[in-house]
Amino acid sequence: MSDCLFCKIVAKEIPADVVLETDRALAFRDINPQAPTHVLVVPKEHFQDAAALAAADDGWADAVLQAGQAVAEQEGVAEVGYRMVFNTGPAAGQTVFHVHLHLLGGRNLTWPPG
Ligand code: 5GP
Ligand code: ZN
């Protein structure tokens, strides 16, 4: 999608602090981190939200989840614990409509989230 921020990051038209790239997914640090580790994992194809990603065939959801787990291991939070979040829709505060998995870790995370 030509007017999508995360499509532009995937296309390297907008810079990002990339921590992992696979054939299907790109992971980069959130510009406004909410935890010591706060990485966004996006599919390289445009899906607007988690519902669209879940409905996609061909393993796109797997690719995002597996990349998220790889980042957790790479960031050193896999053992102690971390959180994966998809904010989906306005009530959940989704602001960028290219689906992204938030990987949060590196501190004790409160529950429930706000
Ligand atoms: P949402 O609220 O849609 O779940 O999350 C969007 C996330 O994208 C926010 O955490 C926000 O800080 C992050 N973000 C917004 N614009 C940019 C950007 O240009 N670069 C990066 N790396 N993160 C961004
Ligand atoms: Zn997009």
Side-chain angles (χ1 to χ4, degrees), residues 54-93:
D57 45 17
D58 248 5
W60 283 100
D62 291 357
V64 171
L65 183 60
Q66 287 162 4
Q69 177 60 24
V71 172
E73 291 170 15
Q74 191 174 294
E75 292 284 306
V77 299
E79 293 291 322
V80 70
Y82 56 87
R83 188 169 293 159
M84 292 177 172
V85 175
F86 289 101
N87 292 327
T88 307

Side-chain angles (χ1 to χ4, degrees), residues 3-112:
D3 203 25
C4 169
L5 175 63
F6 288 173
C7 281
K8 287 179 180 163
I9 287 177
V10 166
K12 311 277 164 74
E13 291 168 18
I14 292 177
D17 186 357
V18 172
V19 298
L20 184 81
E21 181 164 11
T22 70
D23 57 338
R24 298 265 193 125
L26 188 73
F28 50 92
R29 296 195 192 282
D30 196 292
I31 207 167
N32 182 24
Q34 302 302 311
T37 291
H38 187 174
V39 173
L40 304 175
V41 184
V42 304
K44 288 184 171 177
E45 193 163 289
H46 183 90
F47 301 98
Q48 74 162 13
D49 58 16
L53 182 66
D57 45 17
D58 248 5
W60 283 100
D62 291 357
V64 171
L65 183 60
Q66 287 162 4
Q69 177 60 24
V71 172
E73 291 170 15
Q74 191 174 294
E75 292 284 306
V77 299
E79 293 291 322
V80 70
Y82 56 87
R83 188 169 293 159
M84 292 177 172
V85 175
F86 289 101
N87 292 327
T88 307
Q94 184 177 2
T95 58
V96 179
F97 289 86
H98 178 132
V99 66
H100 46 283
L101 181 156
H102 292 261
L103 175 74
L104 296 150
R107 65 169 169 82
N108 289 326
L109 299 163
T110 57
W111 189 262

